[in-house]
Amino acid sequence: MSDKPVRQPGPDHPIDVQPASGPVTVRWRDKVIAETDSALMLREAGYPSVPYLPLADVVEDVLEPTDHATYCPYKGDAAYFSLHDETAGAHADNAVWTYPAPHAAVAEIANHVAFYPDQVDIDLPE
């Protein structure tokens, strides 16, 4: 049994997950590395909205699993990927995260990934 706290979203810390209103495209080093019509937008408390894209819609060979991990009491244990491009010798450490087994309140983000916007360019629907 884990001693990590589990918190439920509520009025003091709202979390909402809804389908994005259109396609989402992610570019890294001017290359499209993810494109989907099935993104989810996670809106949490006072934070900027975060698009979560199905892992299946990400170019697989740019993702490199890392040992980095974090914990969010509202979402659960996060795992990370670095981005790499062997042909260009480019690398972005821990630029992508996922919740492999998210808490029930955000279960729909399982099998989805999110990108740090300072590492990639994200085109969102208007």
Side-chain angles (χ1 to χ4, degrees):
M1 181 158 201
S2 174
D3 60 351
K4 295 177 184 176
V6 176
R7 296 194 179 125
Q8 295 298 315
D12 60 328
H13 193 99
I15 297 178
D16 181 51
V17 180
Q18 296 294 324
S21 60
V24 175
T25 303
V26 179
R27 289 179 178 79
W28 179 58
R29 302 180 44 75
D30 296 324
K31 294 180 184 176
V32 173
I33 61 168
E35 196 166 26
T36 188
D37 289 322
S38 302
L40 299 172
M41 296 301 295
L42 186 141
R43 293 167 183 86
E44 179 176 2
Y47 299 104
S49 296
V50 176
Y52 279 78
L53 286 72
L55 184 57
D57 292 337
V58 179
V59 175
E60 189 175 328
D61 64 353
V62 301
L63 296 177
E64 181 178 272
T66 74
D67 292 332
H68 185 63
T70 59
Y71 180 74
C72 170
Y74 294 97
K75 294 185 289 292
D77 289 302
Y80 289 76
F81 296 96
S82 291
L83 297 173
H84 75 277
D85 180 345
E86 287 184 28
T87 58
H91 200 80
D93 290 332
N94 300 313
V96 184
W97 74 91
T98 184
Y99 290 92
H103 294 324
V106 293
E108 55 265 69
I109 65 171
N111 301 312
H112 286 66
V113 296
F115 297 82
Y116 281 107
D118 63 340
Q119 300 288 324
V120 299
D121 295 313
I122 304 172
D123 296 329
L124 297 171
E126 294 186 21

